[in-house]
Amino acid sequence: MTRFRLFLVLFCPIFFLFAYNSGYGYDAYEYLILARTLNEGYNLYDFIPSKSYLLYSSTNVLLNLLGGYNHVSVSALITLLATGVLVSSWRAARLFGERVAFLTVALTATCCFFMEMNFLEPESWIAIFGLNAFTLAVGNNGKPNWRWFGAGILLGIAMCFKSVAAFYVVGFGAFILLLWLTGRLTFWPMVGRGMLVLAGFVAPLLLSMFYFYTTNRLDAHLEWTYIYPFGGYPSHTLFLTKFLIKLSWLLLLLLVSFFVVFQQPYRTIYQQTPALWLALLVASFSCVTMLKTQASHYFFQAAVFFVIHLGFLADQWLAQYEARHQKVSYRMAFWGAGVVALLLLVSILLYRPATVQRFFTIRNYQDEEQAGAFIREQVGQAGHVLFFDNALALYYLSDREPNVPFIFTEMQTTHYIKSHPDTYGRALADTSLKLVIFGNRSSLIDDSTALQEPANAYAIQQLRAGLEKHFVKVQNPHFPLPYWRRK
């Protein structure tokens, strides 16, 4: 435990610096913008969310406690969440021994750097609740029935942050079924345990539905929490190459581990350790989300369980080595750490060497603050703005909102536009809209997968017509992007 505390003391300032210098990240801007609108008198689902509601409400509460919507507070929140993941990882892996826990935490911390946890991604929350559900279910504290019910509740809360947490429940169900198939559980206890997990999982979801029903937002809640994420979000491979390069170190370690684990004596050890079955099943079913998109943070919820397997396997290999050589030499430890460090270095060099700078500099955000002040000056206190593609950050920097029910023009917006084709036409005719800004991407909207769809083509045509009719294009030496100002 002392080593773990020392590890946290070293990890927190390093990760805070890395997060601070990383900026906000594209997804994080949306989370922060929607969270802050709750301070501005808006309600959840006044804007289309890309994630489940608890991400936005918790972000708002925690940032208000940490000092508000500034970069130091946001970086502190990100570091707090990463620390929560490490603590949860320690608790889960400690079921297999102290050395397994330390190895697992070290790998989990590395994953935080490589899988975009330096941005405000909901996978941190999912990992925290998922790991604690795992610990509760397979631990020895309390009666088994209550442990499995409690694990289900934790998984249900995770679902309130992001819908992909449902795949954790599938992993739990597959594990309970496997216990029955291998004779470790009889039929009716198997059914009962599965129902307890399911009942616990459903409880937070039903409470959420009841709340949004009483506030007349149930349809929006169901649409953006369940219907669209599981049925409407299209599949693509835009980030596949980036994923393979960025996580090559972990993928290689996993490939080697799966080869080793089928060898004796490791195969027998794994057969005698059912808790590892749960970790691997949860990790495997979590990978289903990768069929939709291969962004590296999508893999994090699987990675936190895969590294338990890696930590356990490394511990067993060391135990076998110690049985033959009495103890692990410093030379062996040095070589093992060196191999992992080399894999990490190669991944960094292949992906983006400039990221190393984030550990040695302190980024200056003065230009962003000036851009926000410039927009506030142009728009006034009550005016609305409309920003596209990578100009999205300006919503957050200027503390101004659009007069359309979405923040970015991603795939959720394409889905919305199909049933609301005149959205842009009405927005540009609205005199409260003072400013329109596009980023420097040629695709105009974020959803490059559906540029030629009739709904988007019609919407963009409306947008261009509205700009020509109601706005004038302006270049300003005090602002880096051309913008459209109302005539």
Side-chain angles (χ1 to χ4, degrees):
M1 191 66 177
T2 302
R3 285 192 304 172
F4 174 59
R5 289 171 179 165
L6 179 61
F7 185 87
L8 288 183
V9 169
L10 294 173
F11 171 83
C12 287
I14 294 172
F15 194 75
F16 176 88
L17 179 65
F18 186 74
Y20 185 89
N21 288 328
S22 298
Y24 293 102
Y26 178 79
D27 291 341
Y29 276 118
E30 192 254 2
Y31 310 149
L32 291 166
I33 293 162
L34 290 192
R36 190 171 59 187
T37 63
L38 302 179
N39 285 344
E40 310 292 337
Y42 292 92
N43 293 313
L44 288 164
Y45 301 111
D46 283 348
F47 295 98
I48 297 171
S50 65
K51 305 297 184 293
S52 297
Y53 74 94
L54 202 52
L55 174 63
Y56 305 100
S57 54
S58 65
T59 297
N60 184 51
V61 170
L62 290 172
L63 282 178
N64 285 332
L65 291 174
L66 289 170
Y69 288 81
N70 59 76
H71 201 45
V72 172
S73 297
V74 173
S75 300
L77 175 56
I78 292 168
T79 305
L80 182 65
L81 291 175
T83 304
V85 173
L86 296 190
V87 172
S88 302
S89 181
W90 173 268
R91 293 186 69 245
R94 201 178 182 189
L95 298 172
F96 306 102
E98 291 280 336
R99 185 163 62 184
V100 177
F102 190 77
L103 291 170
T104 299
V105 165
L107 287 169
T108 303
T110 307
C111 289
C112 288
F113 287 100
F114 279 81
M115 297 184 192
E116 300 175 347
M117 293 307 106
N118 49 307
F119 304 122
L120 194 62
E121 295 294 352
E123 279 75 14
S124 292
W125 285 109
I126 294 175
I128 289 170
F129 285 101
L131 288 165
N132 282 286
F134 172 87
T135 306
L136 184 60
V138 300
N140 296 315
N141 297 322
K143 296 181 178 180
N145 288 345
W146 287 110
R147 292 206 312 267
W148 289 94
F149 179 71
I153 290 177
L154 292 175
L155 296 175
I157 296 173
M159 178 82 170
C160 295
F161 283 92
K162 190 175 180 181
S163 299
V164 293
F167 291 106
Y168 276 179
V169 182
V170 179
F172 270 71
F175 173 66
I176 294 169
L177 180 62
L178 185 59
L179 291 178
W180 174 63
L181 292 173
T182 56
R184 295 175 179 270
L185 204 62
T186 56
F187 180 77
W188 288 114
M190 180 266 294
V191 173
R193 189 172 290 184
M195 293 305 294
L196 285 168
V197 172
L198 187 61
F201 175 69
V202 169
L205 307 184
L206 290 178
L207 287 173
S208 301
M209 291 180 193
F210 178 75
Y211 168 74
F212 287 112
Y213 172 77
T214 59
T215 55
N216 297 314
R217 288 174 282 169
L218 180 60
D219 288 344
H221 173 66
L222 294 176
E223 174 74 15
W224 301 114
T225 304
Y226 304 102
I227 298 171
Y228 178 75
F230 291 110
Y233 190 87
S235 301
H236 63 81
T237 57
L238 297 175
F239 307 122
L240 179 58
T241 301
K242 177 181 175 181
F243 168 80
L244 293 174
I245 294 174
K246 193 176 182 183
L247 301 186
S248 56
W249 64 274
L250 180 60
L251 298 176
L252 182 58
L253 289 177
L254 287 172
L255 182 62
V256 172
S257 75
F258 292 139
F259 173 78
V260 172
V261 82
F262 283 102
Q263 313 301 314
Q264 290 292 9
Y266 308 107
R267 184 170 61 192
T268 299
I269 294 170
Y270 268 65
Q271 289 172 347
Q272 297 170 350
T273 316
L276 279 173
W277 307 353
L278 177 57
L280 287 171
L281 284 168
V282 168
S284 299
F285 280 103
S286 296
C287 290
V288 173
T289 60
M290 305 300 292
L291 297 175
K292 287 284 189 180
T293 180
Q294 298 77 43
S296 58
H297 62 272
Y298 268 62
F299 193 61
F300 187 74
Q301 62 178 16
V304 294
F305 284 98
F306 275 133
V307 296
I308 293 176
H309 149 74
L310 289 174
F312 181 84
L313 186 61
D315 175 69
Q316 292 301 314
W317 186 88
L318 290 170
Q320 297 295 323
Y321 181 88
E322 289 169 341
R324 298 190 302 270
H325 301 87
Q326 299 304 315
K327 66 176 183 178
V328 178
S329 66
Y330 287 109
R331 182 179 179 182
M332 177 63 69
F334 175 80
W335 277 106
V339 168
V340 175
L342 180 61
L343 290 175
L344 294 174
L345 179 61
V346 170
S347 296
I348 292 172
L349 293 176
L350 289 174
Y351 170 60
R352 189 183 295 168
T355 55
V356 177
Q357 295 286 332
R358 298 175 187 174
F359 294 103
F360 304 105
T361 60
I362 298 179
R363 185 171 170 180
N364 187 342
Y365 290 92
Q366 185 176 357
D367 290 345
E368 293 187 353
E369 294 171 1
Q370 290 174 351
F374 177 80
I375 292 171
R376 288 192 294 272
E377 178 186 335
Q378 296 290 316
V379 174
Q381 188 65 36
H384 288 98
V385 292
L386 194 57
F387 301 141
F388 291 87
D389 60 75
N390 52 14
L392 166 72
L394 297 172
Y395 283 127
Y396 180 70
L397 300 176
S398 65
D399 195 11
R400 295 294 180 268
E401 294 82 31
N403 61 342
V404 294
F406 46 83
I407 296 296
F408 59 6
T409 52
E410 266 284 3
M411 295 160 186
Q412 289 91 342
T413 301
T414 294
H415 178 73
Y416 176 84
I417 288 290
K418 288 178 182 177
S419 55
H420 300 80
D422 296 320
T423 298
Y424 289 134
R426 292 196 302 269
L428 270 69
D430 178 6
T431 56
S432 71
L433 179 64
K434 305 298 184 182
L435 210 62
V436 180
I437 302 177
F438 299 90
N440 51 21
R441 290 192 296 196
S442 59
S443 59
L444 190 68
I445 62 172
D446 308 282
D447 185 7
S448 59
T449 67
L451 282 172
Q452 305 306 320
E453 283 192 5
N456 268 338
Y458 175 72
I460 292 172
Q461 180 184 0
Q462 273 199 328
L463 176 63
R464 287 171 172 157
L467 286 172
E468 293 296 331
K469 182 177 181 181
H470 302 292
F471 289 77
V472 59
K473 193 173 184 179
V474 179
Q475 297 273 4
N476 192 304
H478 302 293
F479 189 72
L481 295 171
Y483 57 92
W484 296 79
R485 187 176 62 199
R486 183 167 291 277
K487 293 178 179 178

